[in-house]
Amino acid sequence: MAKKQPNINRGAVGLFLLFSLLFFAILYRFFAIGITGEAAGQPLAAKAEQKHMRHGIIEAERGTIKDRTGEIIAEDTASYSLIAILDEKMTTNPDNPKHVVDPEKTAATLSKYIDLSESEILRILSKKKDNPKLFQVEFGKAGKDISFQTKKQIEAEKLPGITFKKESKRFYPNGVFASHVIGFVEKAEGNNSAAKTFGKLGIEKSMDKYLKGENGRIDYESDLWGYLLPSGKELVTPAKNGNDIQLTLDKKIQTFLEDALNKTVEEYKPKKIIAIVANPKTGEILAMGQRPTFHPKTRDGIEKSWYNEAIEYPFEPGSTMKIFTLAAAVNEGKFNPNEEFPSGSYRVTERDKAIKDHNGKGWGTISYLEGVQRSSNVAFAKIAKEKLGFEKFREYLTRFGLDRPTGIDLPDEATSQLRYDWPIEKITTSFGQGTAITAIQQIQAATAIANDGKMMKPHVIKKIVDHDTGETIMEKEPEVVSQPISTDAAKKVRDILETVITSPNGTGQRYNIEGYSVAGKTGTAEMSQGGGYLKGPGDYIFSFLGMAPADDPKLIVYVAVQQPDIDSYFKGALPVSMVFNPVMKNSLQYMNIKPSSLVVAKKEALPDLVGKTSAEATKILEDKGFDAVTIGKGGTVEGQLPALGEVVMEGEKVILRTSGNAAMPDLTGWSLRDALKAANVAKLHLNFKGSGYVVKQSITKGTPIKSGDRLTIELETPLDNLNGKNEEESDPEIKE
């Protein structure tokens, strides 16, 4: 036993020394970490912060797009995604569960609010059985874009484990509304699930850098589950919201256009329609639309047309091109409206095929004015070659901007494709064949005709405004591109183009709008295919470029309809006028442009007829060339419309209200203006349907009427030119 004692002591001493060494090593490490704050070369404070610091994105609100009056076209709105928490670890208090505890009840309740069946919701809620580590589930498309109201209703059900993720979405309150001008946005998932928004098409694309803003950031201390600690640090970098874009588009006029396009598509089923409404004084685009189109929220229809046809699609314009050939000749003093020429055909050179008029034979020897009215290809071929000369005509193509993009503030503008090498190409360009230009180029060039020679640059952006402060960042002013023709020449061209609508020989009779003088030009361009042209009855681009009122145009409207469903090309004006006429008329009325008679007649101030006998008053009016209509049984005149001193046109109806009981006159064939006067004098409540002239009235002729009675009238536009010879010459411009 005595021999073992030294060994035991030595062992104890060894253990003591070992533990002492370990103790001092740990103590040293403890102090070293405390002093340096590092372990294994890594900063412990930073590592701890990484464990407990969380980061969040504060989404910037995308700027709002508005029309010229401030009406919202596109904006960011709050939406919510539905989430179901399945992890039981989220529940720390059984009396207040934070996960789905009753999948069957939850599924039955949610099926009342989202577009999923109860069985499908239950299937989604049961996914944890196959994946025990699953923390939460979502419900696909049905669980996204939930409104605030629906969110509140679901929350009121107090379903354990059901929560929401707030997001922003792009909202287009008008639905299909200048969709290719406005565009749409897409979201792409980035790092940390931060959604980045990108503008696609139109303003959303071209102005993306102004609209998108900059996301902010929040850094905060949290517990294991990600909840904010009561005493934790919080650092916020606020988001910078995007700027607002105010456009030149007018919601009311755009709505007129969309409605007209819808009706035309429904009736004529064309392959394509392009339409633009512009202010020729400023170059502002007030409306722009096309068919096919798409819904900017759902993207329905986008696969049919990714392009803004008015900006990105050059095509042969047809006879609307003759406007600019005519303007060049007038400006150069080379157009004599009374000079005559032989219509029918014209050979440029011996080698070239003869140019023919659209009816194949012409109209004999006619004046150049009649040649414009009838849209004679021969007239414009002779103007280009013999009156102007090819070099001078080419100069005017540049003056009118037809050989370059307009620079409109929309993306992906195409330019024209001028074919001007050979004599035959130079001739056909004069009447719109061979050469291709865009609709917006035609609009810009037409502003020179409508704006007394000054050509205005088209634009759709009015100004850019700071979303948060309302401060204007940039505002566009009207820009004069050039003055291709003189003021006097522009007025003469408008006068000539007005006869295209008013003359019995004019191809534009269908574009006559009651109460407003219209100047313009029809177009019928053939569709090329495989080196030739299609020959079907509707295989053309039918168009009209018009401005009103002709003496001082406030609006230019261009409409092109491709391949409508018609049984004769002579009916090509029908779908075009179905867009042009209501859009032009409704827009002018909306802009408070007062109607004026289209008839060139003697004007005179109306005398005071009150107190005279009906016979005396009638004779005075008839002697002055007015049409007197008496409401009453004769006797003394008690009221008149128009009133004393108002200027009236020769042939206009003057309504006289005489003493005695009144009887209803026959309104058949009356204009709406005259019917309104009669209703006003008789103090009737007037309702009307349609446009044109009265064809039906609810109160028959001779029926006694009294103040306050309701009168309904139906109006129709005369369709005299629909059949026979007149119809064939109303818009026939096929190029041979």
Side-chain angles (χ1 to χ4, degrees):
M1 293 295 292
K3 289 182 180 181
K4 292 181 179 180
Q5 188 65 38
N7 292 332
I8 293 173
N9 291 338
R10 282 195 297 270
V13 170
L15 287 173
F16 175 76
L17 291 174
L18 177 62
F19 281 112
S20 296
L21 183 61
L22 290 173
F23 172 76
F24 283 110
I26 293 171
L27 189 63
Y28 169 78
R29 187 65 174 154
F30 177 79
F31 281 108
I33 291 173
I35 293 170
T36 65
E38 293 184 357
Q42 299 291 323
L44 293 180
K47 285 292 184 181
E49 186 173 4
Q50 287 178 7
K51 291 287 186 182
H52 297 285
M53 287 300 291
R54 301 295 175 108
H55 309 285
I57 297 296
I58 302 175
E59 270 196 83
E61 186 175 335
R62 190 172 177 84
T64 300
I65 301 175
K66 303 177 181 179
D67 86 333
R68 63 184 302 105
T69 66
E71 293 279 349
I72 292 174
I73 298 175
E75 66 176 339
D76 272 11
T77 59
S79 68
Y80 301 87
S81 293
L82 183 65
I83 296 171
I85 304 298
L86 304 182
D87 196 335
E88 297 178 3
K89 294 178 181 178
M90 286 299 295
T91 298
T92 57
N93 180 1
D95 295 331
N96 185 22
K98 299 296 184 183
H99 74 287
V100 176
V101 294
D102 190 339
E104 289 78 9
K105 177 184 176 182
T106 303
T109 304
L110 290 179
S111 66
K112 298 186 295 184
Y113 299 101
I114 65 174
D115 189 21
L116 278 181
S117 66
E118 181 178 340
S119 59
E120 178 62 16
I121 296 173
L122 183 59
R123 185 191 68 78
I124 294 172
L125 294 176
S126 303
K127 286 184 175 181
K128 193 170 177 62
K129 295 178 181 178
D130 299 325
N131 184 3
K133 294 183 178 181
L134 190 63
F135 181 78
Q136 67 184 44
V137 291
E138 298 186 24
F139 299 89
K141 185 177 179 180
K144 294 184 180 297
D145 286 344
I146 292 176
S147 67
F148 179 75
Q149 181 180 2
T150 302
K151 170 181 175 287
K152 297 300 288 183
Q153 290 174 329
I154 295 174
E155 287 176 336
E157 300 284 356
K158 300 186 183 305
L159 299 171
I162 297 301
T163 186
F164 297 87
K165 179 172 64 176
K166 185 177 180 180
E167 299 172 327
S168 64
K169 68 174 180 178
R170 202 64 168 163
F171 180 54
Y172 301 90
N174 303 302
V176 174
F177 182 91
S179 299
H180 286 82
V181 176
I182 306 305
F184 62 94
V185 297
E186 285 185 349
K187 285 192 174 183
E189 293 297 321
N191 296 332
N192 300 320
S193 298
K196 293 185 178 180
T197 301
F198 301 91
K200 298 286 186 180
L201 293 180
I203 293 298
E204 295 279 25
K205 176 181 178 180
S206 64
M207 302 303 290
D208 188 62
K209 66 178 181 179
Y210 294 100
L211 287 165
K212 66 182 179 181
E214 297 178 9
N215 287 340
R217 177 185 175 101
I218 180 170
D219 302 296
Y220 58 94
E221 286 186 299
S222 68
D223 60 15
L224 179 63
W225 307 108
Y227 289 107
L228 185 67
L229 294 172
S231 59
K233 293 186 296 182
E234 186 176 1
L235 186 63
V236 177
T237 303
K240 174 65 175 70
N241 292 323
N243 297 307
D244 295 341
I245 308 292
Q246 187 168 10
L247 303 180
T248 61
L249 297 184
D250 189 294
K251 180 180 177 182
K252 194 73 173 178
I253 295 176
Q254 184 70 39
T255 301
F256 293 150
L257 181 58
E258 298 289 351
D259 289 345
L261 292 174
N262 289 339
K263 291 176 182 177
T264 305
V265 167
E266 182 178 354
E267 184 161 349
Y268 291 100
K269 301 174 180 58
K271 295 287 180 63
K272 188 183 296 183
I273 307 180
I274 303 170
I276 307 173
V277 183
N279 180 342
K281 310 297 185 186
T282 63
E284 292 177 318
I285 303 301
L286 303 177
M288 183 182 288
Q290 67 186 66
R291 294 295 183 272
T293 187
F294 69 96
H295 195 296
K297 178 185 175 183
T298 64
R299 316 287 192 277
D300 288 346
I302 189 66
E303 72 284 352
K304 296 178 182 177
S305 178
W306 277 91
Y307 306 104
N308 185 333
E309 302 284 354
I311 308 297
E312 303 176 56
Y313 175 50
F315 59 95
E316 294 183 17
S319 293
T320 54
M321 186 74 172
K322 293 173 182 175
I323 293 175
F324 313 114
T325 307
L326 172 65
V330 171
N331 196 60
E332 290 293 315
K334 302 294 186 180
F335 182 81
N336 180 353
N338 298 317
E339 182 184 350
E340 295 185 334
F341 72 98
S343 65
S345 66
Y346 181 75
R347 192 176 296 276
V348 183
T349 68
E350 290 300 322
R351 294 177 301 175
D352 292 317
K353 183 180 178 181
I355 297 298
K356 292 185 179 181
D357 282 319
H358 52 75
N359 65 356
K361 58 184 180 180
W363 305 269
T365 298
I366 59 175
S367 70
Y368 274 96
L369 177 60
E370 187 174 341
V372 174
Q373 294 166 350
R374 292 188 182 277
S375 197
S376 166
N377 292 337
V378 171
F380 284 88
K382 291 175 74 68
I383 288 172
K385 182 182 179 185
E386 299 176 9
K387 304 297 183 183
L388 284 169
F390 291 147
E391 288 187 14
K392 180 60 68 173
F393 178 49
R394 179 62 183 83
E395 178 186 318
Y396 274 91
L397 294 178
T398 296
R399 286 196 188 189
F400 280 110
L402 298 174
D403 58 358
R404 61 191 182 278
T406 66
I408 188 172
D409 40 15
L410 285 170
D412 305 319
E413 181 183 8
T415 189
S416 52
Q417 300 166 7
L418 290 185
R419 293 177 61 185
Y420 207 80
D421 295 323
W422 303 100
I424 189 65
E425 293 175 338
K426 297 170 183 179
I427 286 292
T428 56
T429 293
S430 72
F431 53 80
Q433 183 179 7
T435 283
I437 57 178
T438 63
I440 198 63
Q441 285 177 303
Q442 293 191 66
I443 285 288
Q444 176 178 268
T447 62
I449 312 299
N451 192 35
D452 291 341
K454 293 184 177 66
M455 189 166 75
M456 307 303 294
K457 182 176 181 177
H459 61 282
V460 298
I461 296 172
K462 192 172 182 68
K463 60 182 177 180
I464 303 174
V465 178
D466 188 288
H467 181 83
D468 299 319
T469 66
E471 177 186 356
T472 298
I473 298 170
M474 183 274 286
E475 187 164 9
K476 280 202 173 182
E477 298 294 334
E479 180 181 342
V480 179
V481 179
S482 63
Q483 182 154 353
I485 58 175
S486 69
T487 298
D488 183 59
K491 291 179 178 178
K492 288 179 180 177
V493 171
R494 293 201 302 269
D495 289 341
I496 294 168
L497 293 178
E498 186 177 359
T499 70
V500 173
I501 285 83
T502 60
S503 169
N505 300 320
T507 60
Q509 296 173 45
R510 183 160 293 281
Y511 303 97
N512 184 17
I513 298 176
E514 183 194 355
Y516 296 99
S517 56
V518 177
K521 187 70 193 72
T522 53
T524 306
E526 292 175 296
M527 301 289 299
S528 60
Q529 184 181 68
Y533 290 99
L534 299 173
K535 296 299 181 182
D539 286 332
Y540 305 89
I541 298 177
F542 302 98
S543 62
F544 186 71
L545 177 55
M547 55 196 73
D551 58 340
D552 184 20
K554 302 297 190 296
L555 291 177
I556 297 174
V557 177
Y558 177 74
V559 180
V561 180
Q562 178 182 320
Q563 296 172 284
D565 185 9
I566 53 177
D567 56 16
S568 168
Y569 85 91
F570 298 125
K571 297 181 180 179
L574 295 176
V576 179
S577 62
M578 196 171 183
V579 178
F580 178 89
N581 291 30
V583 170
M584 178 63 88
K585 184 173 184 178
N586 291 335
S587 298
L588 289 171
Q589 290 176 340
Y590 162 68
M591 294 169 65
N592 293 320
I593 308 300
K594 293 183 179 180
S596 60
S597 174
L598 295 176
V599 180
V600 179
K602 182 178 67 178
K603 297 180 181 180
E604 188 169 340
L606 203 64
D608 187 5
L609 303 172
V610 175
K612 298 184 182 298
T613 66
S614 62
E616 291 174 336
T618 299
K619 186 174 188 310
I620 291 172
L621 293 172
E622 289 176 348
D623 288 345
K624 292 179 178 294
F626 301 130
D627 184 6
V629 178
T630 301
I631 297 179
K633 288 193 172 181
T636 305
V637 175
E638 297 179 344
Q640 67 182 71
L641 269 182
L644 167 67
E646 288 191 25
V647 176
V648 289
M649 303 292 294
E650 183 179 4
E652 185 175 349
K653 285 182 171 58
V654 178
I655 314 299
L656 302 175
R657 177 67 169 95
T658 63
S659 56
N661 295 329
M664 189 69 208
D666 183 5
L667 304 181
T668 302
W670 285 31
S671 68
L672 176 60
R673 182 180 179 183
D674 286 334
L676 285 168
K677 287 188 292 189
N680 196 347
V681 166
K683 298 181 180 179
L684 303 176
H685 295 295
L686 179 66
N687 295 317
F688 63 92
K689 302 176 183 177
S691 61
Y693 298 90
V694 178
V695 294
K696 290 182 182 180
Q697 59 190 84
S698 61
I699 303 176
T700 57
K701 176 185 176 182
T703 302
I705 55 176
K706 60 182 184 299
S707 176
D709 284 350
R710 293 189 175 275
L711 169 65
T712 300
I713 59 174
E714 291 184 23
L715 304 101
E716 290 183 2
T717 301
L719 300 178
D720 296 338
N721 292 326
L722 254 178
N723 301 296
K725 180 179 177 181
N726 287 341
E727 182 243 340
E728 292 184 0
E729 296 187 354
S730 65
D731 192 30
E733 299 174 63
I734 295 184
K735 301 179 295 298
E736 300 297 317

